[in-house]
Amino acid sequence: MKPGESFKHSQFTDIENYIVQLKNKKKLIILFATWCADSQRTIEQLQASPWVNNSELQIIAIGREENSASLAQFKRDYHLNYPLISDESRTIYNTYANKGIPRLLLLDEDNRLIQEENGEDVYALERLLNLL
């Protein structure tokens, strides 16, 4: 995706079978894998930031090649309070990324991409959160 392009999804079904609508606020979409050290670090950085509980930002994490069971365990282990989406077949990932995880997508209120970052860079999340 390039800045200004529209995010194609308007909703997801999370690992608990709830419909997650993309709200009319900024969104942080995280494409990650539970086994990936860079994904784990990025999630830990987010958990330590004030944005994890900020009502002005909707956070959705999408597990590439992850099933609901592995994501549920990850959610418990990392004490996550935002929805996790299973993407076992990489369908969602392939729509928005072509290589590397985690991929971080910051969307505006109208679901257009503000900026994308490769979370392999330790400062990627910080750069995105500074745009809020």
Side-chain angles (χ1 to χ4, degrees):
M1 287 186 71
K2 295 180 181 157
E5 287 184 356
S6 291
F7 193 76
K8 294 177 173 86
H9 289 79
S10 61
Q11 69 179 27
F12 295 103
T13 302
D14 75 4
I15 61 171
E16 297 166 350
N17 272 336
Y18 291 109
I19 299 296
V20 178
Q21 299 276 351
L22 272 65
K23 297 178 181 170
N24 189 21
K25 58 173 73 176
K26 289 185 178 172
K27 289 153 275 304
L28 176 62
I29 308 293
I30 305 166
L31 301 161
F32 79 106
T34 60
W35 52 264
C36 170
D38 291 324
S39 293
Q40 294 165 4
R41 177 190 33 77
T42 298
I43 296 292
E44 289 170 349
Q45 289 174 330
L46 180 59
Q47 289 298 100
S49 82
W51 286 102
V52 75
N53 292 312
N54 191 305
S55 63
E56 296 176 23
L57 179 68
Q58 181 180 19
I59 301 170
I60 300 171
I62 301 169
R64 186 186 83 176
E65 297 175 4
E66 299 282 351
N67 62 38
S68 292
S70 66
L71 290 174
Q73 184 63 51
F74 189 82
K75 187 172 187 169
R76 283 189 300 274
D77 291 347
Y78 285 80
H79 309 287
L80 305 180
N81 65 349
Y82 44 85
L84 273 66
I85 313 301
S86 173
D87 185 24
E88 286 188 78
S89 63
R90 292 177 65 136
T91 304
I92 300 167
Y93 176 84
N94 289 338
T95 301
Y96 303 108
N98 55 10
K99 63 180 179 175
I101 48 173
R103 300 304 277 189
L104 309 170
L105 307 173
L106 183 63
L107 308 178
D108 68 12
E109 295 83 355
D110 297 316
N111 298 334
R112 287 189 297 265
L113 182 67
I114 297 171
Q115 187 167 322
E116 175 184 11
E117 292 281 347
N118 183 335
E120 294 171 354
D121 178 340
V122 297
Y123 299 106
L125 181 64
E126 182 180 339
R127 279 194 299 275
L128 286 183
L129 296 179
N130 284 336
L131 296 173
L132 296 171

